[in-house]
């Protein structure tokens, strides 16, 4: 069985495992050291339980992380792994993924790691569309350095480093990734195992870069940042579940929907009763033009009032590492004769 | 049209010479680098020994006709083995007033000056501060001046070609090359073939350049102004097949060869920077050897990707110059901590900061040695000449793969762009650099686990287990690791042990003993150098010996660790002199390690040492001991 037989063309080249695997196979003997209640636990458990289902050889999976709380992730995964340098994981992973087509390479990063110190590497990995699955744990705070505001913290955030409130306008990671023309962008919540697993699986199956923003609670320094998306009373009016091919609607009775503003082309939330079902936008992850997915990402800002969750975009575009390996393979049609390379065209001979 | 290019019938006096230094100087747009390159190839094809010194501005096109826009190429060729591109030209070819002004002081009295008079207009003269025309005011009386209207002659010769005046005049550098080729009895076929290949898509331009080249040749042949031609016989070098090579090309070839010798795919992760970019350009051409080149978004990503590729079992390489090393430091530190093989090629240039991008300097030694946080030892090697870059690429690879360590290779702008003949090695004589990857669990406690930090007792290298190997799944990273098991460890004693182990591993790298060049065996003064100053130091030592004095020369190619015999060697001499193109960085290391009272001679002018200047310095030390 190959990944193609398994219906996973996005994982072409990665060898499969014939036997059964369980979550336990993916756990290491290292003691997990996140704070009690940290959202990272839920993501770790989701990844450990969903990976066996992919049926890949465990030794062909690599997790590479930067620095930050979430970046401890590789130590807890019984795969190959590297806990690297602050912000640099996408760069290191790019080299690994490009030189080894038989690996499934995952990057684990956080909002500070990916969007602050490593912003440059992130956008370039996405632009190149390297076969990397990038899990961006967004807790909107710096945890490991004990609670400074991050590039996704809401404006006016009071932290140790901003006692009078932060001044910076935050990034919307999904918008940023789409701006970099990421071929796959999704968003999930740490607390919703089922939905998280769905997005992770879709990311794993995608050929090219996949960025998954995971809203992750940091109970120590930014507790409850995403509570409005978890609260039974508020959740349904705020979360917009994205399902490919279906009209975008939400609310306990499906009473809200997303429609296009004919004047600006932007998307907005409307009451289905007022606009009619026909007016609802039908979600399509395959649109080549990223402006639709971008418009979706603009429905929510820091205030989380209307927050789309799921896959925003999943389009097919050649992956950098595939192209790079293809160039090397094509070049190999030319014989690799070291002796004639070293001699070159103009030599002269000195006799004894 | 057929023009007879051959030694004609006109009688010229032929002087036999053992060596000549020629400098071509003109505007950056005049094609002086190409002209110099071609003359070099002609000298190489003829079998001379040679050394070159290109010198060009950092601006791609500095304003035309200005002093900052002057570009020059100096070439030294000889019938014996020479070590440097020469201190001063015997022949200076200048294409405009700016080139004359900025180069004339280097031409010794009696030297030959060949001038393209067409550019000596009032406007151009004023522009560079000449109040009167130096060709007419007698200020050049001490030189043998040949005034030639190169642009006009070229344009006239090309009139039938139908080329525009501007295009025709652009070929004047080939006129100059033709004239010089005639003067020095150079073979011409190579240049004509080269021009036809270079302009294969523009046959009219190709033929115009060939015609300009022949016109220059025939000008020498038919006009009476050149009464003398010169012959420099082929050099009696060691038997074998030679080619001409620059340091950057040799380095790129060395990396290709290292991949072949180690049977590893090569992965170059890099970012364009002067003067290292040519390594990327060259390697990008050789993908058929299993070479992947990745032009990253920045210096940091370049080395990061190379380290990622190393993790996957490739020969990871990154190339840069000093400013890039500053950015790569954190990843070099990670490679030290994760103990993975990695080649870091630093083509040094003038610093600090952006400094002098196109000029040479040796001022990154201490950065290479110490430029990281924590105790982070790395191996350091330095090629001593353009051709030596090939050998040192293999040496750096040997160290990196055997000891699982980053290796810094310190070349510089002088040898990167300079060229010399290279005795092409036989491929079967290249070293076997093949690697044994880990395949089995190795824990010594019977657990059946894999311990990524269990060391080879001899080399102290840790196992290299590639992703895809079942049963050896492991995690590495920048946090301190427990000895053997590689788990994260904050234990104080473990950290102390690991710091010492990493240092001991680098200290224990086996390197060749330093060799002493002291023909008489009676020297009391030792000159110790490293890197690209090999040529000028060697040439200066020869001159000092010709003056009847004894002097020894040792040139270090391994800078960390030093050769094991170095301490004993230093103790053998009454005086140790260390010339460097920095403020005394090697001298500082020697003093610290060997408690030797080394004298530092330093110059940081962006140009290589002159043999003449070093000769005086060395002679003074020898005489100082005698008095
Ligand atoms: S500080 Fe916050 S993010 Fe970090 S481990 Fe603790 S709870 Fe998790």
């Amino acid at each position: 069985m190959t990944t193609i037989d398994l219906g996973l063309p996005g994982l072409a080249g990665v060898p499969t495992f014939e036997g059964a695997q369980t979550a336990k196979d993916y756990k290491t003997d290292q003691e997990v050291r996140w704070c009690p209640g940290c959202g990272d636990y839920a993501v770790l458990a989701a990844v450990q339980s969903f990976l066996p289902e992919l049926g890949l050889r465990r030794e062909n999976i690599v997790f590479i992380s930067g620095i930050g709380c979430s970046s401890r992730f590789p130590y807890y995964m019984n795969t190959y792994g590297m806990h690297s340098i602050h912000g640099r994981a996408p760069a290191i992973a790019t080299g690994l993924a490009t030189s080894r087509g038989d690996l499934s390479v995952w990057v684990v990063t956080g909002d500070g790691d990916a969007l602050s110190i490593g912003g440059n590497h992130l956008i370039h990995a996405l632009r190149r569309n390297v076969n990397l699955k990038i899990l961006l744990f967004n807790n909107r705070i710096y945890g490991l350095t004990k609670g400074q505001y991050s590039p996704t913290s809401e404006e006016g955030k009071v932290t140790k480093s901003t006692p009078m409130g932060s001044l910076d306008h935050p990034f919307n990671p999904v918008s940023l990734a789409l701006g970099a023309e990421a071929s796959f962008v999704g968003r999930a919540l740490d607390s919703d195992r089922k939905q998280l697993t769905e997005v992770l699986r879709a990311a794993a199956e995608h050929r090219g870069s996949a960025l998954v923003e995971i809203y992750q609670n940091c109970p120590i320094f930014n507790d409850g940042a995403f509570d409005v998306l978890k609260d039974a009373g508020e959740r349904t009016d705020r979360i917009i579940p994205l399902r490919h091919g279906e009209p975008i609607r939400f609310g306990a009775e499906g009473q809200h929907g997303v429609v296009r503003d004919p004047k600006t082309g932007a998307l907005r939330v409307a009451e289905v009763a007022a606009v009619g079902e026909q007016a609802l936008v039908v979600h399509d992850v395959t649109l080549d033009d990223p402006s639709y997915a971008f418009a979706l990402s603009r429905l929510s800002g820091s205030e989380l009032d209307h927050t789309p969750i799921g896959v925003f975009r999943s389009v097919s575009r050649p992956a950098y590492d595939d192209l790079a390996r293809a160039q090397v393979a094509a070049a190999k049609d030319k014989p690799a004769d070291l002796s004639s390379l070293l001699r070159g065209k103009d030599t002269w001979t000195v006799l004894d | 049209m057929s023009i007879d290019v051959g030694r004609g019938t006109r009688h010229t006096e032929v002087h036999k010479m053992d060596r000549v230094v020629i400098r071509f100087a003109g505007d950056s747009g005049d094609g002086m680098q190409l002209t110099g390159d071609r003359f070099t190839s002609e000298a190489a094809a003829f079998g001379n020994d040679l050394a070159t010194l290109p010198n060009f501005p950092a601006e791609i096109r500095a304003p035309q006709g200005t002093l900052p826009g002057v570009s020059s190429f100096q070439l030294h060729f000889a019938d014996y083995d020479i070590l440097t591109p020469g201190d001063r030209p015997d022949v200076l070819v200048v294409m405009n007033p700016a080139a004359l002004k900025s180069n004339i002081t280097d031409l010794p009295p009696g030297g030959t000056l060949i001038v393209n008079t067409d550019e000596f207009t009032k406007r151009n003269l004023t522009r560079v501060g000449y109040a009167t025309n130096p060709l007419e005011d007698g200020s050049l009386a001490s030189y043998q001046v040949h005034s030639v209207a190169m642009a006009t002659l070229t344009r006239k010769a090309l009139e039938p070609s139908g080329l525009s005046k501007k295009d025709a005049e652009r070929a004047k550098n080939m006129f100059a090359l033709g004239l010089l080729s005639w003067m020095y009895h150079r073979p011409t076929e190579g240049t004509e073939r080269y021009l036809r290949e270079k302009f294969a898509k523009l046959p009219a331009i190709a033929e115009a350049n060939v015609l300009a080249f022949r016109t220059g040749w025939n000008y020498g042949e038919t006009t009476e102004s050149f009464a003398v031609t010169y012959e420099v016989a082929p050099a009696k070098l060691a038997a074998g097949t030679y080619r001409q090579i620059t340091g950057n090309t040799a380095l790129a070839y060395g990396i290709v060869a290292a991949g072949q010798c180690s049977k590893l795919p090569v992965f170059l992760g890099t970012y364009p920077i002067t003067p290292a970019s040519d390594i990327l350009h060259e390697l990008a051409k050789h993908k058929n050897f299993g070479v992947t080149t990745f032009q990253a978004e920045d210096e940091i990503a370049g080395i990061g990707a190379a380290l990622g590729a190393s993790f996957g079992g490739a020969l990871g390489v990154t190339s840069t110059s000093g400013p890039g090393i500053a950015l790569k430091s954190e990843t070099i530190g990670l490679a030290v901590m994760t103990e993975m093989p990695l080649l870091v090629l630093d083509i040094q240039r003038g610093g600090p900061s952006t400094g002098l991008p196109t000029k040479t300097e040796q001022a990154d030694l201490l950065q290479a040695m110490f430029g990281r946080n924590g105790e982070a030892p790395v191996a350091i090697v330095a090629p001593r000449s353009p051709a030596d870059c090939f050998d040192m690429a293999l040496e750096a690879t040997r160290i990196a793969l055997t000891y699982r360590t980053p290796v810094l290779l310190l070349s510089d702008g002088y040898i990167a762009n300079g060229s010399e003949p290279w005795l092409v090695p036989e491929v079967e004589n290249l070293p076997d650099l093949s690697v044994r990857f880990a395949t089995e669990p190795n824990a010594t406690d019977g657990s059946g686990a894999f311990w990524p930090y269990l060391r080879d007792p001899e080399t102290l290298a840790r196992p290299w287990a590639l992703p895809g190997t079942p049963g050896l799944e492991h995690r590495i990273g920048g946090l301190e690791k427990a000895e053997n098991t590689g788990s994260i460890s904050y234990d104080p004693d473990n950290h102390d042990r690991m710091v010492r182990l990493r240092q001991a591993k680098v200290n224990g790298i086996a390197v060749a003993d330093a060799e002493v060049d002291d023909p008489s065996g009676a020297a009391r003064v030792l000159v110790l150098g490293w890197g690209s100053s090999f040529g000028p130091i060697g040439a200066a030592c020869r001159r000092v010996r010709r003056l009847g004095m004894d002097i020894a020369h040792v040139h270090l190619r391994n800078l960390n660790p030093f050769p094991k015999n170095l301490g004993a060697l230093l103790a053998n001499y009454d005086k140790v002199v260390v010339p460097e193109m920095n403020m005394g960085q090697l001298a500082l290391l020697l003093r610290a390690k060997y408690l030797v009272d080394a004298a530092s001679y330093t110059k940081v002018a962006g140009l290589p040492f002159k043999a003449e200047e070093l000769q005086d310095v060395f002679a003074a030390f020898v005489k100082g001991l005698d008095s």
Side-chain angles (χ1 to χ4, degrees), chain A residues 33-41 68-70 139 141-147 216-222:
Chain A
R33 295 201 194 169
W34 290 310
C35 307
C38 176
D40 293 358
Y41 283 98
C69 289
S70 58
N139 57 13
I141 198 77
Y142 281 56
L144 196 63
T145 50
K146 300 200 163 76
Q216 172 245 323
N217 190 37
C218 168
I220 305 299
F221 296 110
N222 201 18

Side-chain angles (χ1 to χ4, degrees), chain B residues 175-446:
Chain B
F175 179 99
L177 181 64
L179 176 56
L180 270 288
S181 301
W182 171 81
M183 272 178 81
Y184 288 94
H185 297 235
R186 301 285 98 186
T188 57
E189 311 77 38
T191 292
E192 298 197 359
R193 192 173 61 234
Y194 169 86
L195 289 170
R196 293 202 167 100
E197 268 173 33
K198 180 177 164 72
F199 297 110
K201 291 205 182 102
L202 303 162
I205 301 285
E207 289 315 309
N209 276 283
V210 169
L211 186 53
F213 176 65
R214 291 179 173 187
T215 307
W217 175 288
N218 289 343
Y219 180 82
E221 180 67 27
T222 52
T223 61
E224 300 288 322
S225 59
F226 293 90
V228 187
T229 62
Y230 304 88
E231 249 177 35
V232 179
K236 291 162 269 307
L237 302 175
T241 300
Y242 286 80
R243 63 170 286 168
Q244 169 214 349
I245 200 155
T246 65
N248 272 350
T249 308
L251 197 47
Y253 285 2
I255 298 296
V256 172
Q260 300 288 296
C261 294
S262 61
K263 303 176 192 73
L264 298 182
V266 172
F267 185 96
L268 174 76
T270 189
Y271 187 75
I273 185 169
T274 304
S277 305
D278 281 341
I279 299 167
L280 164 62
H281 304 160
E282 188 62 41
L283 283 172
K285 290 187 224 160
H286 305 301
K287 294 192 160 62
N288 55 323
F289 289 90
V291 175
T292 301
T293 53
F294 171 60
Q295 182 178 314
E297 59 270 25
D298 58 25
E299 296 280 358
I300 298 169
I303 189 174
L307 188 67
S310 280
F311 185 51
L315 177 60
V317 186
T318 192
S319 53
T320 189
S321 186
I325 294 291
L327 288 163
K328 293 179 197 291
S329 298
E330 59 172 0
T331 309
I332 298 172
L334 179 64
V336 168
M337 199 61 154
T338 54
E339 303 192 37
M340 287 201 290
L342 181 68
L343 302 187
V344 182
L345 314 177
D346 176 4
I347 317 304
Q348 300 165 96
R349 66 189 214 186
S353 188
T354 308
L356 301 169
T358 59
K359 308 295 178 210
T360 196
E361 205 159 290
Q362 296 182 293
D364 292 352
L365 175 58
L366 294 183
Q367 179 177 225
M369 190 80 187
F370 300 120
R372 291 163 293 283
N373 61 308
E375 295 288 348
V378 298
I380 305 172
V381 301
R384 62 186 199 181
S385 72
D388 195 38
C389 288
F390 180 85
D391 292 336
M392 294 320 276
L394 290 171
E395 167 70 351
T397 307
R398 174 190 72 86
I399 294 172
L401 295 178
T402 310
Y403 297 91
R404 311 283 149 80
T405 175
V407 181
L408 273 96
L409 182 149
L410 299 179
S411 174
D412 63 34
Y414 171 40
I415 51 179
N417 291 320
S419 64
E420 66 176 350
W422 177 41
L423 177 58
V424 182
E426 294 298 335
V427 168
E428 51 281 12
N429 296 338
L430 296 178
D432 177 7
L433 300 175
S434 48
V435 180
R436 289 246 298 275
F437 294 113
T439 53
E440 300 289 333
N442 61 354
T444 56
D445 66 350

